[in-house]
Amino acid sequence: MLNEKMINALNKQVNEEFYSAYLYLSMSAYFENLGLKGFSNWLSIQAQEERDHAMKIFRYLLSHGANVKLYEIKEPPSEFGTPVEAFNEVLKHEQHITKCINELVDLAEELKDRPTYNFLQWYVDEQVEEEENAREILNMLELIGDQKQALFMIDRELAKRVYTPLTNGGEE
Ligand code: OFO
């Protein structure tokens, strides 16, 4: 049986993850309209992964017989400026999510909730990767400056990203 505080915090994180999916989907549309389909592809896959992150917590709550509460998802922006500005936003957002995950880990520790503590370790590792990916793209964009040809080369690279669903659909 999960502690009520933990259940509430995990339900809030479900919302954070769905918001992440919304944010990246909105960015994906923005980049497609800019003519950068590779960036758009990368972000649309990112959005799918965020949905998986939400569903993994959703399944975890249900597997513990806890109530799932789906809060309203806030509206994401629809304009993101230059590619550098957009990926600055991605990195900033992932840093925010890392902070949320760390707070959940702290709460699990405080409540001596070992199962949730263990469950959250997947997210701790995932966030290292999420920040690294965002930083890598941001660094490339900063490096190329205004060189359009280089931008299209990055776009071609990002077009190669394929979606890999989580094994066992995020079930515990
Ligand atoms: Fe981007 O890792 Fe979930 O939110």
Side-chain angles (χ1 to χ4, degrees):
M1 190 67 185
L2 296 177
N3 180 293
E4 217 40 50
K5 261 195 194 170
M6 198 72 236
I7 295 173
N8 289 341
L10 287 171
N11 272 316
K12 282 197 190 121
Q13 191 59 31
V14 169
N15 185 265
E16 289 278 357
E17 300 293 344
F18 275 125
Y19 175 73
S20 304
Y22 240 37
L23 175 67
Y24 296 144
L25 200 57
S26 183
M27 277 189 185
S28 169
Y30 179 77
F31 274 97
E32 174 139 356
N33 285 338
L34 286 185
L36 293 166
K37 286 196 171 179
F39 280 89
S40 175
N41 169 64
W42 193 93
L43 285 156
S44 125
I45 290 169
Q46 192 63 23
Q48 281 174 282
E49 287 197 356
E50 298 300 354
R51 185 184 172 278
D52 289 347
H53 297 170
M55 290 308 292
K56 194 175 166 74
I57 302 171
F58 177 97
R59 297 297 332 162
Y60 179 77
L61 285 162
L62 289 179
S63 71
H64 285 266
N67 284 338
V68 168
K69 180 111 180 69
L70 293 176
Y71 296 110
E72 190 176 346
I73 305 169
K74 108 182 151 201
E75 182 182 332
S78 52
E79 296 286 331
F80 298 95
T82 63
V84 168
E85 283 166 343
F87 271 82
N88 240 315
E89 199 50 45
V90 174
L91 180 59
K92 236 174 65 195
H93 183 68
E94 288 306 328
Q95 286 165 340
H96 161 72
I97 295 295
T98 300
K99 189 169 163 278
C100 295
I101 298 295
N102 289 343
E103 284 168 5
L104 285 170
V105 172
D106 288 346
L107 182 62
E109 264 184 331
E110 187 190 309
L111 298 171
K112 300 197 186 328
D113 178 348
R114 303 283 173 249
T116 306
Y117 180 87
N118 286 342
F119 169 73
L120 289 169
Q121 295 317 300
W122 183 88
Y123 287 86
V124 171
D125 293 342
E126 180 69 11
Q127 279 316 114
V128 174
E129 209 180 294
E130 294 279 79
E131 284 194 31
E132 190 185 345
N133 292 341
R135 200 173 290 114
E136 202 178 287
I137 297 173
L138 180 60
N139 286 346
M140 281 194 287
L141 287 170
E142 283 176 342
L143 209 68
I144 63 164
D146 287 338
Q147 299 172 57
K148 289 269 180 301
Q149 212 178 344
L151 181 66
F152 284 113
M153 269 172 65
I154 298 175
D155 192 60
R156 270 202 297 276
E157 271 312 299
L158 298 185
K160 293 180 191 158
R161 185 179 189 189
V162 287
Y163 171 62
T164 319
L166 287 182
T167 46
N168 70 4
E171 286 277 2
E172 282 308 294

